[in-house]
Structure formats: C-alpha cells, structure tokens
Amino acid sequence: MKDYNKISNNIRKDVVEMIFNSKTSHLGSSLSCIDILTVIYFRILKINPQKPLVENRDRFILSKGHAVAALYATLAERGFFEKKLLKEYCANGSKLPGHVSHGYVPGIEISTGSLGHGLSIANGIALAGKKDKKKYRVFVLLSDGECDEGSTWEAILFAGHHKLNNLVAIIDYNKWQALGKTNEILNLEPFTKKWRDFGWSVKKVNGHNLQEIYKSLIKIPFEKNKPSVLIAHTIKAKGLPSLENKLESHYRPPTEQEYKKFINKVNNL
C-alpha cells in the first residue's frame, strides 16, 4: 500500500526547494493545496502519465494558477515528467513558468493564472463531455480569493443550471488572499449556503487530512444531477511553521535558515 503521507511530504519538499532556489513568490498558496493535489492525483483521477492525452481521461484544472509549483511537483511525483526538470522552475526559457502554461510539459490541460477563469473553462469541458456522452470527470481547484470574482459566480450558476454532475470544484479555503484575510476584504460567508442555493451539492473537509479528502471525493457526484463542490479548510504555507497562516508567505520565498530547518525536518520524518 502506498504511503500517501510520504508522497505529500515529497511534494512539499520539492515545492519549498523550487521556490527557495528560484527566489519567487506564492509559497503559501502552493503549500496549502498539496494534500488536496496528492489525493486527487494519486487516488482519484483516472489518468495515465504515459498516455496523458487519452480521450476519456479525467481532467484537472488548477484555476489558482499562481500555485503552479505545487502542480509541477505533483505531476513530476506522479511520473508525467522527470523530477530533474523541477530545478528549472521559473528560470529564463524554462518549460516550467511561474503560472500554469499549457504546451510545455504533459499533464497541463489549460493555461491559467488570471483568477476567475478556471471554473468557467471547466464548465465548458464538463458540458461537452455530457453532450458527447463521455465518461470523464472534470476537477477544478480554486482559491478562496478568486471567489470574489463575478465570473466565478456566473460559472457556479451555470453549472447548477445545467446539472453538471461530472464537475467537481475544490476550494482551497486558506482564509487569505493577496492583500489580507478573505473575511476582511470581502466576506464569503455563508459560503456553503451560497453554493447550495446555486444548485450545487456541498461537502466540507479538513484540507490536510488525506483520508478525509479521499472519502469525500471517492463518490462523484455527491448528489444525483448536481455539480459537486468540496470546501477544503486549509492553512496557508502548511508545513513551514515560520510562515504558516501569514500573509507574507504569499510574496516571499523562505530564507536560507527557514529552508535548511524545513529540509532537516522533512528528511527526519
């Protein structure tokens, strides 16, 4: 049996190394969604890394495209491309740019980064699948901050209206966005009720509990003839104590001291 906690820790280690070495941002946003990505890619998605474009594959879209380091590390861990490529993250001319970009490495379905677009694109793919009587499912991971976008709510309304039961949205609800706490900038609550009122079936989980995430996603849709949304309560910069639940993790890479302490901790797990 696979040790999924070990897989998650490997991905987290790769992400911290990538962002430390490249001296880039969005560490907190990447670390908060790693456990979600681990479950999705290693236990839920019907995919084949050796045949990434097979027609009936499940589709995954990272709408919060600034957290792409987590997606790259997950794809490499899953075998879509060699891990050594992670060393090129955000370098000039690299195949791994700092926002999700289609066409460079296998496993990337679409380009994202402008927040509020991912769910709309997922709607189109899911609707096409239903009309063509395909069996694939569409998963899309959104940030809580992008739920400020009007286009996100238009997409939520659209999916409920068309009963897209092959669509699953996951919210990385880490309670922070670029300039502060989500509830202070634009309060999303009552978040669950809003999704339900728009025609979705809703579940809530601890976004760092691998088994809880798995048990929630193993049966899709959550309810008959409805799109499903998993609201995952997470911690920004999960796994790096000095930056956990802090706004600065959105912008700065770990210091050398933070990096060495983290690597030492992970290597001794």
Side-chain angles (χ1 to χ4, degrees), residues 13-60:
K13 179 181 177 182
D14 286 338
V15 166
V16 173
E17 287 182 335
M18 290 161 67
I19 293 178
F20 173 75
N21 290 332
S22 61
K23 298 296 183 286
T24 54
S25 54
H26 303 311
L27 177 66
S29 304
S30 297
L31 292 179
S32 66
C33 66
I34 285 173
D35 297 309
I36 299 167
L37 291 174
T38 298
V39 174
I40 289 174
Y41 272 90
F42 286 85
R43 305 196 72 180
I44 298 297
L45 290 181
K46 297 173 182 177
I47 52 173
N48 183 346
Q50 279 68 54
K51 298 179 180 179
L53 297 177
V54 65
E55 187 176 357
N56 276 324
R57 71 190 181 279
D58 285 340
R59 273 71 168 172
F60 175 80

Side-chain angles (χ1 to χ4, degrees), residues 232-250:
H233 290 274
T234 60
I235 298 170
K236 199 171 182 76
K238 172 67 174 176
L240 198 62
S242 59
L243 286 176
E244 276 188 3
N245 205 31
K246 293 181 179 179
L247 178 62
E248 61 188 290
S249 71
H250 195 80

Side-chain angles (χ1 to χ4, degrees), residues 23-131:
K23 298 296 183 286
T24 54
S25 54
H26 303 311
L27 177 66
S29 304
S30 297
L31 292 179
S32 66
C33 66
I34 285 173
D35 297 309
I36 299 167
L37 291 174
T38 298
V39 174
I40 289 174
Y41 272 90
F42 286 85
R43 305 196 72 180
I44 298 297
L45 290 181
K46 297 173 182 177
I47 52 173
N48 183 346
Q50 279 68 54
K51 298 179 180 179
L53 297 177
V54 65
E55 187 176 357
N56 276 324
R57 71 190 181 279
D58 285 340
R59 273 71 168 172
F60 175 80
I61 294 170
L62 182 65
S63 189
K64 49 175 283 181
H66 53 289
V68 70
L71 180 56
Y72 290 149
T74 302
L75 289 172
E77 186 76 20
R78 187 67 173 82
F80 279 85
F81 55 85
E82 293 186 17
K83 274 197 170 189
K84 64 182 181 181
L85 190 60
L86 298 178
K87 297 182 183 297
E88 299 179 14
Y89 175 65
C90 272
N92 287 337
S94 171
K95 292 182 178 180
L96 304 181
H99 276 73
V100 180
S101 298
H102 175 71
Y104 290 98
V105 292
I108 301 293
E109 295 286 349
I110 64 161
S111 299
T112 62
S114 297
L115 295 180
H117 295 174
L119 186 56
S120 296
I121 296 170
N123 275 347
I125 298 171
L127 182 61
K130 284 179 69 71
K131 287 185 176 295

